[in-house]
Amino acid sequence: MVRLVRCTVLLAVDGVTALNRGSDPNRRGRQGDTMDSSAFFAYARERHSIHLRRSAGLPRDEWTQDAILREYRFCNIFRELDTTTEWFAHHVRTPLRDSPDVLLATALFRWFNRISTGEAVFLNRMRWDDHDGTAWEHLVRTGRIDPVRRAILAHCGTGPYVTGSYIIKTMDGVDKLSGVLLAITRFMRQSRAVAPGSVLDQGEMSRMLLRERGQHALEFVWRWLTLFPYLGHFMAYEIVTDLRHTALLDQAPDILTWANPGPGAERGLNRIMGRDVRKRMSRQVLLEEMQTLLAQCTDPANWPSDWPAWEMREVEHTLCEFDKYERVRLGQGAPRQKFRSTR
């Protein structure tokens, strides 16, 4: 089993060479498309500058003169700077970063992706049958999901319980809270194949990743996660992105060579490459073009050298946000959320 898993990793490592061979900043796509990333990086620099000005305490009217960025909500360039991720990293992910429990904790949190629900599960202490503790501690100790429901209802009342930032899909015919808890229960108790004739549950996967640290790729874990009910490509990618900052995947060999390009990232690449925005491209082409953008980040004209470096996650994430920006600029639509600040 391990030998087959490592073959997956080696394929990812071999891909570094292939992708780097195509990293000429002025390369043409396989269909003769020419990459023009100037607007993409201009957007990225301005969005990160807004974060820096805001963090420095400047008044809101000095954050940006860009009318679109002033009106609509766009995510930070670095997911680690977003409020929900900062909360999760501080209270859950970092304290558990070396524990096999971090995989289950991450899946549980991202299935809700809401700070108030996270507080209910991971922070609030309650009285259980024979001890005091958090619902998370009780779950790890007993494997029972009911205390999680009880803690959420006690802290969050009638809701909402899940994020409004993306769609949380669960089984039909049940309320959202029940559906998410059923999905988490199945994830806790079921196993999925990692190679022919070999299956792992979430605890076994975590222990293998810790035991064989640096030998398994982000993409390998992402593909395994997508085999579980109601863990689609997007949700699995969110979990893997968090695990990249833990001992499970912080040394994964494909951090700088792989990402999961969603529809928004594909549209963003089509805009940069001068293609019809609706054109569908193979994942291999998308990854090669994303790798080229990552290589361009080393040019100080595109991204200042004293700012944090990008990984493939930042490329994919920013392409999606760039597509949102361009839709507004070109009159093709608008984001659902307007920008609102409490500061």
Side-chain angles (χ1 to χ4, degrees), residues 159-226:
Y161 310 116
V162 301
T163 182
S165 299
Y166 53 80
I167 297 172
I168 304 291
K169 180 69 174 73
T170 62
M171 56 284 296
D172 296 330
V174 298
D175 62 87
K176 185 64 72 175
L177 177 58
S178 297
V180 171
L181 293 176
L182 283 169
I184 293 169
T185 300
R186 291 181 180 182
F187 178 71
M188 289 172 55
R189 297 175 179 173
Q190 294 181 359
S191 301
R192 289 296 183 269
V194 294
S198 178
V199 297
L200 296 178
D201 64 25
Q202 54 86 22
E204 293 166 335
M205 172 62 80
S206 295
R207 290 188 289 274
M208 184 186 75
L209 294 174
L210 288 171
R211 186 173 61 251
E212 301 174 4
R213 191 173 182 180
Q215 298 182 35
H216 302 286
L218 302 175
E219 183 180 7
F220 162 68
V221 179
W222 172 79
R223 290 188 181 279
W224 173 79
L225 285 168
T226 63

Side-chain angles (χ1 to χ4, degrees), residues 117-136:
T117 310
E119 291 170 341
V121 176
F122 294 100
L123 298 188
N124 285 6
R125 301 186 71 80
M126 299 178 65
R127 180 65 186 174
W128 307 107
D129 295 336
D130 57 355
H131 71 286
D132 293 334
T134 65
W136 164 250

Side-chain angles (χ1 to χ4, degrees), residues 54 60 63 69-74 83 335-343:
R54 183 178 183 180
R60 179 174 173 172
W63 292 353
L69 292 175
R70 287 170 72 100
E71 182 174 359
Y72 296 100
R73 181 183 181 276
F74 292 85
T83 302
R336 292 185 298 118
Q337 294 180 307
K338 295 271 183 111
F339 178 74
R340 296 180 178 87
S341 174
T342 58
R343 291 190 285 142

Side-chain angles (χ1 to χ4, degrees), residues 31 38 40 48 88 93 137 162 172 176 194 209 217 228 232 252 256-257 280 287-288 293 308 319 322 333:
Q31 287 72 36
S38 56
F40 170 78
H48 192 60
F88 174 63
R93 195 182 70 195
E137 291 167 347
V162 301
D172 296 330
K176 185 64 72 175
V194 294
L209 294 174
F228 286 88
L256 298 179
T257 61
R280 301 305 306 271
L287 285 171
E288 289 180 3
L293 288 172
L319 281 167
F322 174 67

